[in-house]
Amino acid sequence: MKRRLALGAIVLTGGVAMTVAAQQRAQVIDSVKVADNYYVLTSSTPGNNDTFSGGNVGVFVTNAGVVLVDTKLAAWGDTFLNRVRSISNKPVTMIINTHTHADHTGNNDKFGTNVEFVVHQNTKANMAKMDAFKGDKAAFLPKRTFSDRLTLGRGAEQIDLYYFGRGHTDGDAFVVFPSLRVMQTGDLFAWKDGPRIDRPNGGSGVQYPQTLAKAVAALKNIDTVVPGHSPLMKMADVQEYQRYTAELLKTAQDAKAAGRSVDDAASAAIAMTQKYRGYASERVKASVQDIYDELNAVATANR
Ligand SMILES: [Zn+2]
């Protein structure tokens, strides 16, 4: 519980800092056109952290209205709304969130209560714990949830939601647009770096590689992958990330079994990361720490 409070304080501080920074500079959200009826509003402009507006957002224009996958940070609300309207002046009719985090759900409340909100059932439970969805804002909690798989719409407008297990959180949805051969991964595949493992929201570094392996085995016919926070990629990049998270886990497990410190394990994991082309290692130590904490928690529970 203490840990959860501490994490909340850090997130809050980060949010305030980001709000101030955002007010000082003009907000710009870039977009990438993937198809006539599907755009990605990017997480940030590569190389410019001041433009971090939250996760990548999918904007899918259907006959009935606009479907959004994720909604960025609340502090970017006006810019985000205008950006969505610049793509289509149809109403937003559905919002799918890949997971609970505030940089993916921050503007769920900006499009009215007639929007249909859809998330994994565990993400709904995680959202209900957030201040952003308490009191009056509880009206914006999703009413439609799924456990393993859910198909929305049909034909060219079909959207398939999948859940393969714990990883970044315990409610990470993969969102597939079969007619476009496009998939959004949320933060289960956010970047080419150590994964963020949000244990208070059910994340698991031990389950992470298995979850990705199930996704890679099940998901076919995808040409374009939209990661949580990186430029567009391919399915081969998801397959590589699965291998990377498996090797990261094994490196941490082996180091821990040998009685080595988190620092030593992180050094080994950073050295291992260098084998993967184009990977950063800024987040590797935090990933290793989370895996150690998880293994310790399991050991304590089994004692
Ligand atoms: Zn996240």
Side-chain angles (χ1 to χ4, degrees), residues 2 43 45 95 217 289 291:
K2 249 183 194 159
S43 180
T45 307
I95 293 176
Q289 178 72 62
I291 292 169

Side-chain angles (χ1 to χ4, degrees), residues 52-230:
F52 181 80
S53 56
N56 282 328
V57 167
V59 182
F60 187 52
V61 183
T62 71
N63 278 326
V66 176
V67 178
L68 298 177
V69 179
D70 287 344
T71 61
K72 295 189 174 288
L73 287 162
W76 284 67
D78 289 344
T79 309
F80 175 58
L81 252 71
N82 289 333
R83 208 65 196 76
V84 171
R85 287 199 185 111
S86 76
I87 289 166
S88 172
N89 51 22
K90 290 182 178 179
V92 171
T93 48
M94 181 182 287
I95 293 176
I96 300 163
N97 296 112
T98 57
H99 63 292
T100 194
H101 288 150
D103 56 333
H104 298 260
T105 59
N107 295 300
N108 274 28
D109 61 345
K110 303 297 194 304
F111 300 92
T113 47
N114 288 331
V115 174
E116 181 168 32
F117 298 96
V118 188
V119 296
H120 185 263
Q121 59 193 19
N122 295 340
T123 287
K124 180 179 181 177
N126 290 332
M127 288 165 108
K129 295 184 288 184
M130 297 166 72
D131 285 344
F133 291 98
K134 285 183 180 157
D136 292 350
K137 301 286 186 184
F140 297 98
L141 278 173
K143 293 183 182 66
R144 189 156 186 189
T145 62
F146 73 103
S147 54
D148 296 320
R149 184 162 172 192
L150 176 65
T151 292
L152 304 160
R154 59 175 69 178
E157 298 190 342
Q158 184 173 325
I159 305 170
D160 294 325
L161 308 188
Y162 296 86
Y163 176 74
F164 295 107
R166 295 165 62 200
H168 179 63
T169 69
D170 63 1
D172 304 304
F174 285 78
V175 182
V176 176
F177 303 90
S179 64
L180 304 177
R181 300 172 70 95
V182 169
M183 170 170 76
Q184 289 186 234
T185 63
D187 284 357
L188 243 150
F189 178 41
W191 43 57
K192 293 187 171 183
D193 196 339
R196 183 177 165 211
I197 302 156
D198 181 359
R199 295 185 56 238
N201 277 313
S204 168
V206 175
Q207 300 291 321
Y208 216 112
Q210 296 167 38
T211 298
L212 283 175
K214 284 183 202 161
V216 163
L219 301 168
K220 308 286 180 204
N221 304 319
I222 290 161
D223 297 328
T224 306
V225 170
V226 183
H229 288 278
S230 303

